[in-house]
């Protein structure tokens, strides 16, 4: 247990150092990096969906969209199970980074100031970048469904404030991601579960999903109902290997009846747990045992 705790603390420290370094590097370039349209398209390729019971984001997505191949049933979590999974590989160094709190607070983040924002970033109102910004602001301003809290983090400090508001100021934390052990050759392919999935000893998590914006914005949310978090070792026939994070939401009774996962999994709405894998650019926060 002692060695596990130490390794968790080290991994969290490395994550903090990386984020702070990214924020430091981006402070000098925030205003100019995203001025021209050609320099502003990277963030439009970010994952822009949230999964856990939120149809505001998913309703517009066609059921044949390959990126929806992340959902599965809890009974599928067994060694030898093969299923199609969409896991995109992205160059995170080319993606927008988190700003410092000071810098993020200096830039309005509200749909009521959308005209000023697109002027600030020099986007035309009909551009793809402007539409993506408007979309993100709308997602961040929707009222959460019953039993869920949410927050859009525009800085590492604001993300940590939200995490501590949920888990407590004295909580020891671990942050998980989905990690490629070998760079994938294709995004959508059949993966097989190679070993017994590892269940983390927590019933509540905070998931932070990326949203398209000129700088990094994370849509963080947590459900009060039981959520089981797993780390799953996946392997593809071509040799691709992934250490994936996955969540199973045990109570979907408050979810929208039209949530896309019910149709994809062919289950009665609100009747069964729904599980999903996290894309590689998502963050999952969990409290460590005391």
């Amino acid at each position: 247990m002692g060695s596990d705790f130490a390794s968790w603390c080290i991994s969290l420290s490395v994550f903090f150092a990386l984020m702070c370094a990214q924020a430091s590097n981006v402070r000098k370039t925030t205003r100019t990096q995203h001025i021209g349209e050609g320099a502003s398209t990277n963030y439009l390729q970010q994952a822009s969906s949230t999964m856990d019971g939120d149809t505001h984001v998913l309703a517009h997505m066609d059921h044949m969209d390959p990126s929806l191949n992340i959902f599965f049933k809890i009974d599928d979590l067994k060694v030898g199970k093969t299923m199609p999974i969409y896991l995109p590989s992205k160059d995170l160094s080319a993606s927008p980074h988190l700003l410092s709190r000071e810098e993020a607070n200096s830039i309005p983040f509200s749909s009521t100031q959308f005209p000023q924002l697109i002027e600030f970033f020099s986007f035309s109102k009909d551009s793809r970048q402007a539409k993506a910004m408007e979309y993100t602001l709308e997602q961040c301003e929707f009222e959460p469904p019953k039993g869920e809290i949410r927050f859009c983090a525009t800085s590492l400090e604001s993300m940590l404030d939200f995490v501590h508001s949920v888990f407590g100021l004295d909580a020891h934390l671990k942050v998980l991601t989905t990690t490629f052990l070998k760079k994938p050759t294709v995004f959508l392919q059949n993966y097989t579960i190679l070993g017994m999935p590892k269940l983390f000893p927590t019933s509540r998590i905070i998931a932070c999903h990326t949203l398209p914006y000129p700088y990094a914005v994370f849509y963080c949310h947590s459900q009060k109902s039981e959520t089981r978090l797993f780390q799953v070792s996946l392997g593809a026939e071509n040799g691709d290997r992934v250490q994936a994070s996955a969540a199973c939401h045990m109570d979907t009774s408050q979810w929208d009846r039209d949530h896309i996962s019910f149709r994809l999994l062919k289950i009665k709405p609100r009747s069964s747990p729904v599980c999903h894998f996290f894309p590689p650019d998502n963050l999952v926060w969990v409290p460590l045992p005391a």
Side-chain angles (χ1 to χ4, degrees):
M1 177 66 185
S3 61
D4 285 345
F5 179 81
S7 65
W8 290 344
C9 290
I10 291 171
S11 64
L12 188 59
S13 298
V14 170
F15 169 76
F16 284 166
L18 175 62
M19 284 300 186
C20 290
Q22 289 177 337
S24 177
N25 290 336
V26 80
R27 286 174 194 142
K28 299 178 181 178
T29 58
T30 305
R31 181 69 186 270
T32 58
Q33 183 178 355
H34 302 285
I35 295 299
E37 291 216 355
S40 308
T41 56
N42 285 338
Y43 72 86
L44 293 173
Q45 300 166 10
Q46 301 274 333
S48 59
S49 61
T50 59
M51 286 75 75
D52 312 344
D54 187 0
T55 55
H56 293 303
V57 180
L58 289 173
H60 73 285
M61 302 179 77
D62 186 89
H63 69 285
M64 295 302 291
D65 187 330
S67 67
L68 293 177
N69 283 273
I70 54 172
F71 296 102
F72 61 94
K73 301 175 183 177
I74 193 167
D75 292 341
D76 293 329
L77 275 177
K78 55 188 177 183
V79 178
K81 175 67 177 182
T82 299
M83 57 185 120
I85 306 172
Y86 181 84
L87 294 173
S89 174
K90 299 177 181 178
D91 181 5
L92 297 182
S93 65
S95 300
H97 302 309
L98 282 167
L99 303 181
S100 67
R101 188 200 301 271
E102 180 182 5
E103 191 169 23
N105 288 347
S106 71
I107 305 173
F109 191 78
S110 170
S111 59
T112 62
Q113 296 178 288
F114 178 67
Q116 293 92 329
L117 282 168
I118 58 174
E119 181 179 357
F120 176 83
F121 288 108
S122 297
F123 295 151
S124 65
K125 65 178 183 179
D126 296 322
S127 66
R128 290 193 306 151
Q129 292 88 347
K131 292 182 185 299
M133 287 179 64
E134 186 175 31
Y135 164 83
T136 289
L137 292 170
E138 289 175 352
Q139 302 312 308
C140 292
E141 292 173 359
F142 276 125
E143 285 295 319
K146 182 179 178 181
E148 178 177 308
I149 56 175
R150 61 177 63 169
F151 175 73
C152 281
T154 57
S155 68
L156 177 59
E157 295 95 331
S158 65
M159 184 187 297
L160 288 172
D161 285 347
F162 176 71
V163 172
H164 281 295
S165 74
V166 175
F167 294 140
L169 292 176
D170 297 328
H172 295 286
L173 305 170
K174 180 177 177 65
V175 61
L176 300 173
T177 61
T178 290
T179 305
F180 292 109
L181 305 182
K182 178 183 177 183
K183 187 174 181 179
T185 54
V186 292
F187 293 169
L188 176 61
Q189 61 180 320
N190 286 331
Y191 283 97
T192 299
I193 298 178
L194 301 178
M196 183 66 67
K198 177 183 178 182
L199 174 64
F200 279 87
T202 182
S203 61
R204 190 170 188 184
I205 69 172
I206 297 174
C208 294
H209 315 279
T210 54
L211 287 174
Y213 213 70
Y215 52 87
V217 173
F218 281 86
Y219 174 99
C220 299
H221 60 141
S222 179
Q223 295 182 337
K224 296 180 180 180
S225 58
E226 181 186 3
T227 300
R228 298 180 187 177
L229 180 65
F230 297 88
Q231 275 197 316
V232 187
S233 180
L234 301 172
E237 290 183 359
N238 64 2
D240 290 348
R241 295 289 183 269
V242 182
Q243 192 70 19
S245 296
C248 290
H249 303 280
M250 306 308 293
D251 180 7
T252 58
S253 61
Q254 300 299 320
W255 289 24
D256 193 304
R257 290 185 175 275
D258 294 326
H259 192 275
I260 190 68
S261 63
F262 298 138
R263 288 192 286 121
L264 290 173
L265 299 177
K266 299 179 180 179
I267 58 178
K268 182 180 178 182
R270 302 178 173 179
S271 66
S272 304
V274 169
C275 305
H276 63 81
F277 290 103
F278 288 99
D281 59 357
N282 286 196
L283 304 176
V284 188
W285 296 87
V286 294
L288 296 176

